[in-house]
Amino acid sequence: MSTTARPRRRLLAALSVLSGLSLFAASPAAADTLYHEQFRPQFHFTPAQNWMNDPNGLIWYKGQYHLFFQYNPSGNTWGNMSWGHAVSTDLVHWRQLPVALPQDDQEMVFSGSVVLDRDNTTGFGTKADPPLVAVYTSLQKATGRQEQALAYSTDGGTTWTKYSGNPVLDIGSVNFRDPKVFWYAPARRWVMAVALSDQHRVSFYSSADLKGWTHLSDFGPAGATGGVWECPDLFPQPVDGDPRKTKWVLVVNLNPGSIAGGSGAQYFVGDFDGTHFTADDTGAYTPPSGAVLQDFESGSFGNWTTTGTAFGTAPATGPLDGQGPVSGFEGRHFADSFDGGDAATGTLTSPAFTVTSDYLNFKIGGGDHPYDPDAVLGDEPAPTGKVLADFEGSTYTSPIGDWTTTGDAFGTGPAQGTLPNQQQVSGYLGNGLVNTFLNGDATTGTLTSPTFTIDKRYLDFLIGGGYHPAGSDAPTAVELIVDGKVVRSATGANGEALNWASWDLSDLRGKQAQIKVVDANTGGWGHINLDQVVLSDTQAKPHSTETGVNLLVDGKVVRSATGSNSESLDWASFNTTAYKGKQVQIQIVDANTGGWGHVLADQFTVADKPALSATRRAHWLDYGRDFYAANSWNDAPGGRRVMVAWMNNWDYAGNIPTSPWRSADTFPRQLSLRTVDGKTRLVQQPVGELATLRGTEVRVPTTTVTDTTTPLGVRGSTLEIKADLTAGSATRFGLDVRTGAGQRTRIGYDTSTGEVYLDRTASGAVDFDPTFTGTERAPLALEGKPLHLRILVDASSVEVYAENARGEQVTLSDQIFPDPSSTGVDVFAENGTATLSGMHAWQLKSIWR
């Protein structure tokens, strides 16, 4: 699996654990609570139980919207990929049907589309009774090849028959998937858009009968290319409602590499002539002009100073020994810390200079290892004290006695470094460590210390491996047991590098305790690494593992940027307005010895405007973390174009705390094209049928807030909110939803950056995965005029539609997992005054009642 692959494609692991198929039948115990469990969305589609991802085969047929979806009929994790099926007459209320296209011994059924073969070009039906035809990606279990295949239905989509002549399109690739097919009337032929995922291309094919396909053209690479391209969609739309002015929209989903991190969906507006798609945005970019501080074109580092060995003695002129091809640098020279490979570390630091401009622009590439303000850069001695275990022997003996094991994950003694088929393990001391990757992630067990007395303030230890916290269904954790209870716990960060962790035990001094190492996980990253367990009066701090560029003021990091696990350099920018007149330094840091443990940097320039990366320049359907595999319905009445997406993210999709189902879809959105500042932009709104769920309406009078947060008298776990807010002197202002119990999800506007933001750091349960918590941002200039918000709040999600007075729009969609009692809505302003006007809120009824 490549660094850009996701669980959906973990074929070797998945194929080894395939189980039989079964249709859902609610047990008597489950029947009373089904669809009303904690976190169950009440107006977003979810399957009754089990795993779901990409929406597939979206089509309107004879009064019903058909929603097919990637589905595991046998469990709540990814696997056994089949097509689930649901139908609706109004895009709001859904009825789940039996599995439409099951996997079998030869294939898993990956994503695709459904068309109505009106002229019976396939011969699967008759002209009087034309068939529905599914075009899907067939994942061949024996080879991993991805081929395009057909299935057909002659009873309106209730039952399906796989075509005996499959596959209908096979190019011998393992990265060729997710066909979207439609009828192109001007040429009277079928057209397919299908992803060449690892090449960042969409291929177009044509066919007269859906069986024989001819290659037409390719589009891409273009826009954002930080991850694999998947699930393309291509459709025409009138601009500004004028059918005489039509543009085509090409949607391309990618993972990872989205604007918010992980999975996301971008789009291109352009023209399609039946053969080629041509985007209006050519992708050409000229960064803002400014004064160059360092471009390394002298062939030396000049007065910049180095530590360590990673940067060598001079700038690079191309890839270094053992490095892949490098691109995106300016001129001939650039800084590259791959000198000596990923194991080398070091820094490259500029002399101090005075900030005179608003922005520092530069190019960056290499590893994605962000700056951690709690970590220590450079060597720090190991904490001293009472060593409880260093795991240097051949058995689990230690200064306090023998540790005991259960299960088979720990073997008969400590590991001597990296185990077979494991990624490189680093960061441990000496030769031995606890490593439960013995025979792979499938092994489980426990390792428990003898009882000891807590007579120091801290317990310090090195930890790595999987992120599965204590208390989760299948933890990989280190636990401190006092009086038979777990009083402290820690887990890895889904990495093989061990780093220091520390527990403050001040409140437990004099107590008898045990350490228990637990590996109860058999999935991805289902193991844990541990070393050097020490009772100490010194709190160990983690070593920095960053690869990036930092801006230093008085020796402290005030801005930072990292690469995206790519050897291609791209633009980044620091806003330095707050530091005008101050002395600062630029420091390029490589503190990482693992995979992608290097950084590339070039062309440091001070300017009055920010330089934008390709990711920031791309056009995003949604700036939130949970909007992926977006696709639209074929044949919707009145020519309307309605889209839905998988409301999850492959960074943490398998870990979200829901049961007996996992994943929801976004609420369906109606699309249109609008001209904004002379450019054609996609605009989205919840489908109008949402209004059928409205219950009690609350109108909030005009409210002005100053440096405070004010409750609005609106409560609910399922809400539709419309509100206008205007900044006075406030630097940040907006609404908090799902407030209470110390929780809130913040929807705000930052006047200093001109961005709408969605902050879920305090939204409820956030500790189930290290990548979940965070704040997403979307650019939207207000120019002193109101911010128009439309917000959909459900039991475990928030969708935000934000517009300015010029009609420019951004959307942000995030999952949240709040306490059921957190149902309040507040307005807030920071560092000044803001005004809320014209707010309407509706309670929304459950679609499952």
Side-chain angles (χ1 to χ4, degrees), residues 287 295 297 328-334 363 569 571 602-603:
D295 59 9
E297 289 305 294
F329 56 93
E330 304 288 315
R332 296 185 61 249
H333 298 85
F334 61 99
K363 285 198 147 182
L569 290 85
W571 286 106
D602 196 14
Q603 204 71 16

Side-chain angles (χ1 to χ4, degrees), residues 152-182:
Y152 60 92
S153 172
T154 56
D155 60 5
T158 302
T159 60
W160 293 82
T161 302
K162 293 179 180 179
Y163 174 44
S164 61
N166 285 335
V168 296
L169 181 57
D170 175 16
I171 63 172
S173 172
V174 297
N175 282 289
F176 181 55
R177 54 183 175 264
D178 310 335
K180 181 61 182 279
V181 175
F182 60 93

